[in-house]
Amino acid sequence: MILTRENYYTPEADREYMSCSQFEDFERCEAAALAKIRGEYTPAKPKAFIVGNYFHTFFEGVDAHEDYVNENAEEIFLKRGGKKAEFRQADEMIASALADPFIRKLIEKPGENEKIMTGELFGVPWRIRIDKYIEKAPRLIIDWKTVASIRTAARGTGESFVEAYNYPFRAAAYMEIEKQFRGLEDDPAFWLVCISKEDPPDKELVAMNDRERQEYELGLIEEKIEHIQQVKKGEIPARRCGKCAYCRRTKKILKPVSFWNIAAEEEE
């Protein structure tokens, strides 16, 4: 299957290729991930997802941003006119990025937005889609990120947003696939360009290159990928997490449970 911008986010692409998002889906809930691939379940898109894409498409280009705004006008605009608060905030974040000379140089630097690459990790076809790829040396992968806060630990984790949202895993996979795709041995640079949702927005450029951590993350992929592929192919049953929206929607009561087994969990 030849991947394009039009078919990248389709069930067909999901069935043929692994991706970072799909891998993480299987880690969260195998049953939900499998149902999503089979077209049996389409998760609702949270508001943060729509706002995040609004932010991302601005850096993709004028046409891409205008198309996205037109396609999601009901979510973005108030009936009485003007944008909803979340999107006014996103505009402030975009303005903050544009006002920074270093980030502005990255935006203006020649490169390809939404660059699709394919490769193989441990015998499994893999796909990536890079926010901005700068091919000429020094090679650079740029990932635009909106975050609640750059300096405050992610809620309920005690970790930085980098660790809480598993960005070292994504960086390791992206860099490995990029090397295969380009036929090169040295790692590209991988930078997160982060803008916070605070007032005023904070911003940071986070370098993700760390060979020891990359090897660790690739080792985790190698350890888990065979099991995930077996579930994906229907060779072994998919485990239910029992907590996600899909599990709640498809849950069937079989017998009572003891009140001792009802545990309170922190809201995510």
Side-chain angles (χ1 to χ4, degrees):
M1 180 179 182
I2 304 301
L3 293 175
T4 65
R5 294 190 181 194
E6 289 69 35
N7 68 18
Y8 188 88
Y9 296 112
T10 62
E12 292 78 15
D14 281 339
R15 286 193 288 270
E16 186 155 340
Y17 292 94
M18 182 61 62
S19 67
C20 291
S21 297
Q22 185 182 135
F23 189 94
E24 290 177 319
D25 281 349
F26 273 101
E27 288 204 290
R28 282 190 289 268
C29 180
E30 294 176 0
L34 188 60
K36 182 179 175 182
I37 290 171
R38 290 176 172 173
E40 300 167 355
Y41 171 62
T42 302
K45 294 179 180 178
K47 176 71 76 172
F49 177 86
I50 298 172
V51 175
N53 277 351
Y54 175 91
F55 178 88
H56 271 75
T57 56
F58 179 88
F59 299 101
E60 186 179 344
V62 174
D63 291 342
H65 190 62
E66 287 184 356
D67 288 345
Y68 188 79
V69 170
N70 290 334
E71 291 169 6
N72 295 274
E74 289 187 6
E75 294 287 346
I76 295 171
F77 294 101
L78 296 164
K79 290 183 179 180
R80 64 176 182 273
K83 294 178 183 176
K84 296 179 181 179
E86 302 95 326
F87 298 95
R88 294 198 303 271
Q89 180 186 52
D91 284 337
E92 291 180 11
M93 295 164 70
I94 290 169
S96 178
L98 294 174
D100 186 272
F102 200 109
I103 296 176
R104 188 70 184 238
K105 286 181 181 179
L106 292 178
I107 295 169
E108 296 172 351
K109 196 172 180 65
E112 185 172 350
N113 295 315
E114 303 300 316
K115 176 67 175 178
I116 295 171
M117 296 183 179
T118 57
E120 187 176 285
L121 294 180
F122 309 107
V124 176
W126 207 283
R127 75 188 194 269
I128 62 173
R129 184 166 172 166
I130 300 170
D131 288 350
K132 182 168 185 177
Y133 179 61
I134 297 172
E135 181 176 339
K136 292 184 178 180
R139 302 178 348 263
L140 176 59
I141 293 173
I142 296 174
D143 209 351
W144 308 107
K145 292 298 179 191
T146 60
V147 299
S149 172
I150 293 171
R151 304 298 171 189
T152 305
R155 187 173 65 175
T157 67
E159 299 176 320
S160 73
F161 75 92
V162 175
E163 295 288 353
Y165 295 107
N166 213 16
Y167 293 141
F169 153 74
R170 185 171 295 265
Y174 272 48
M175 285 189 275
E176 190 65 26
I177 295 301
E178 188 271 352
K179 288 190 296 183
Q180 291 181 24
F181 189 84
R182 293 290 312 280
L184 301 171
E185 295 184 359
D186 61 310
D187 291 327
F190 189 109
W191 292 353
L192 301 177
V193 180
C194 307
I195 310 293
S196 81
K197 299 176 183 177
E198 298 160 308
D199 184 18
D202 194 3
K203 50 187 177 288
E204 197 64 84
L205 185 64
V206 182
M208 295 299 298
N209 291 70
D210 184 300
R211 171 43 58 182
E212 185 175 348
R213 182 60 182 268
Q214 288 163 228
E215 292 294 342
Y216 171 78
E217 296 294 339
L218 291 172
L220 291 180
I221 295 173
E222 182 178 20
E223 178 183 315
K224 299 174 181 179
I225 194 66
E226 182 179 357
H227 173 80
I228 288 175
Q229 282 296 100
Q230 288 176 327
V231 174
K232 186 175 177 179
K233 293 177 181 178
E235 296 172 355
I236 58 176
R239 291 192 293 256
R240 297 169 61 89
C241 73
K243 299 182 293 184
C244 71
Y246 174 78
C247 285
R248 295 197 303 272
R249 181 175 298 176
T250 58
K251 182 177 180 179
K252 295 180 180 178
I253 299 295
L254 300 177
K255 62 180 181 179
V257 297
S258 168
F259 71 90
W260 290 108
N261 293 325
I262 301 297
E265 296 183 0
E266 184 174 346
E267 184 178 356
E268 296 181 359

